[in-house]
Amino acid sequence: MLNYSKLAQCLPGPLFGVHLRPTRIAGRCTDKQTYNIRCMSAVADFQAVQVELQRLCEAVAHYTSTHNAVKGTERLLKRAQRDLAFTAYFAQEERVGHSVSQTSSDCVASRAAAAQLQGARNNLRGMQAELDVAQQATDVVCLGARFYSQVSAGEGASSKRKQRTHNNANILANHFVPSGESVEVDVVAQQGLAWIEVKAHEPFDTDSSQWLGNPGHFKGLEQQAKQQLRIAKAACNQLMWQAPTVLFHFPQGVYTDVKTQLTVSQLMVK
C-alpha cells in the first residue's frame, strides 16, 4: 500500500492543497489482473504529467534567461519544479504498489493519489497558460505581482516614492506599508498599465460556483473581478494618472453570459 505517512513526513505541507490520508477508492479489485491494470494506468498518468511539467520547467527557465528585467519568473519556475518533484514521487510510489500483497480485496489505488494527479494537471494547465500570456504580451514587467488598495510611506521612503508602488518587492525596498485589500495579478504588462488575470478553467456559466463562489470557502469570479477593478482604480496603483486596464484571459474559452457580465463591469475579456 502507498506509504502516505512516509510521504507526508518527506514533503512540506499538503500536496496541491490536499492533505494526504489513506482513503480507498470505492469498489474492489477482486482479481490481480484488474489490480495491475489500474496501478499501471495510474503510473502512466503520473508520468505523462511529469513529462509535460519537465517541458514547462525548461520553457520557464528559457523565458527567465531571455527576460531578465521581468520580475517573478523565478517564482513561476519554482512552482513548476515543485509540482514536477511531487508527480515524480507519486509515480515511483505507485510502482511500489504493484507488488503489494492482495490479501485484502480493497484496491490499493486511492482517492488521495487521484486528487494529487488532478491537482497536478490543473496546476500545469494554469502555469502553462500564464507563461503563454507572458510570451505574447508586450512590455511585461512582472509575473504574480501583488497590489494593494492602500499604500502609505514608512520610514526611509522619499517624497517621490510616496505616490505609488508596483509590487511586494518594491514595497519592501522602498519602505512602503501596504494596507487594505490586495490581489495577485498573474501578468503585469504594458509597463504596468495592463493587469492580465489568466483563468485556465473549463468554461462555466454565471450559475456555477466558479462564478458565484462558495461563502466561507472561496471567492467566485464575480467577486474577484470587482475586487481587481477596485484595486486597479486605487490612487496608489495609477500610472501617469491612469488606472491599469484589467483583462481576463480564458485560454479554454468563456461562455457568453460570463463575458457579458465582465464587460458590463468595464473589464476586458479575451
Side-chain angles (χ1 to χ4, degrees):
M1 182 174 288
L2 298 180
N3 191 336
Y4 289 96
S5 298
K6 177 183 176 182
L7 178 59
Q9 292 171 1
C10 294
L11 298 175
L15 308 184
F16 310 116
V18 179
H19 291 273
L20 296 177
R21 56 184 182 276
T23 309
R24 297 184 182 87
I25 280 181
R28 300 177 182 276
C29 296
T30 55
D31 63 89
K32 191 169 184 178
Q33 182 179 9
T34 302
Y35 168 82
N36 286 336
I37 288 173
R38 289 193 184 184
C39 288
M40 291 177 68
S41 176
V43 171
D45 289 340
F46 276 115
Q47 289 177 337
V49 175
Q50 192 177 342
V51 170
E52 292 302 314
L53 280 168
Q54 181 61 52
R55 291 174 181 167
L56 175 63
C57 287
E58 293 170 359
V60 175
H62 180 263
Y63 181 86
T64 301
S65 66
T66 55
H67 296 76
N68 296 326
V70 178
K71 299 179 181 179
T73 56
E74 297 84 0
R75 289 194 296 273
L76 180 60
L77 180 58
K78 286 181 180 179
R79 284 167 54 198
Q81 290 173 335
R82 183 174 182 266
D83 284 6
L84 175 61
F86 288 157
T87 52
Y89 187 95
F90 266 105
Q92 294 170 2
E93 283 292 298
E94 291 287 345
R95 290 195 193 97
V96 174
H98 292 174
S99 61
V100 172
S101 171
Q102 294 291 300
T103 55
S104 169
S105 58
D106 290 319
C107 183
V108 79
S110 71
R111 286 196 183 105
Q116 303 313 314
L117 178 60
Q118 186 59 48
R121 285 172 172 157
N122 293 342
N123 289 351
L124 170 62
R125 184 170 56 189
M127 290 185 289
Q128 183 63 63
E130 289 177 30
L131 178 62
D132 291 343
V133 169
Q135 291 172 329
Q136 297 168 13
T138 58
D139 297 326
V140 176
V141 295
C142 191
L143 306 182
R146 183 161 293 279
F147 291 87
Y148 295 83
S149 59
Q150 298 177 23
V151 176
S152 58
E155 184 179 354
S158 67
S159 57
K160 292 183 179 180
R161 288 176 174 175
K162 292 180 182 179
Q163 299 176 18
R164 49 174 287 277
T165 185
H166 285 299
N167 51 44
N168 277 340
N170 279 344
I171 287 173
L172 296 176
N174 297 337
H175 306 281
F176 284 103
V177 179
S179 60
E181 294 182 291
S182 73
V183 292
E184 184 173 307
V185 179
D186 292 327
V187 180
V188 182
Q190 296 179 17
Q191 291 297 323
L193 284 173
W195 291 5
I196 306 174
E197 188 68 14
V198 182
K199 297 297 181 184
H201 311 287
E202 294 294 330
F204 54 86
D205 56 35
T206 52
D207 292 328
S208 66
S209 60
Q210 288 97 327
W211 175 259
L212 299 173
N214 188 344
H217 295 278
F218 62 88
K219 292 180 181 178
L221 181 57
E222 181 180 27
Q223 286 183 290
Q224 293 176 29
K226 291 179 180 178
Q227 186 181 42
Q228 288 258 7
L229 193 59
R230 278 197 308 271
I231 296 177
K233 290 182 177 180
C236 59
N237 294 319
Q238 293 185 8
L239 295 173
M240 296 178 288
W241 302 280
Q242 181 180 350
T245 298
V246 179
L247 185 150
F248 281 83
H249 178 64
F250 297 88
Q252 303 292 322
V254 57
Y255 286 152
T256 302
D257 55 348
V258 171
K259 184 175 182 179
T260 299
Q261 288 296 323
L262 292 174
T263 304
V264 168
S265 300
Q266 299 178 326
L267 294 158
M268 295 184 65
V269 179
K270 182 178 179 181

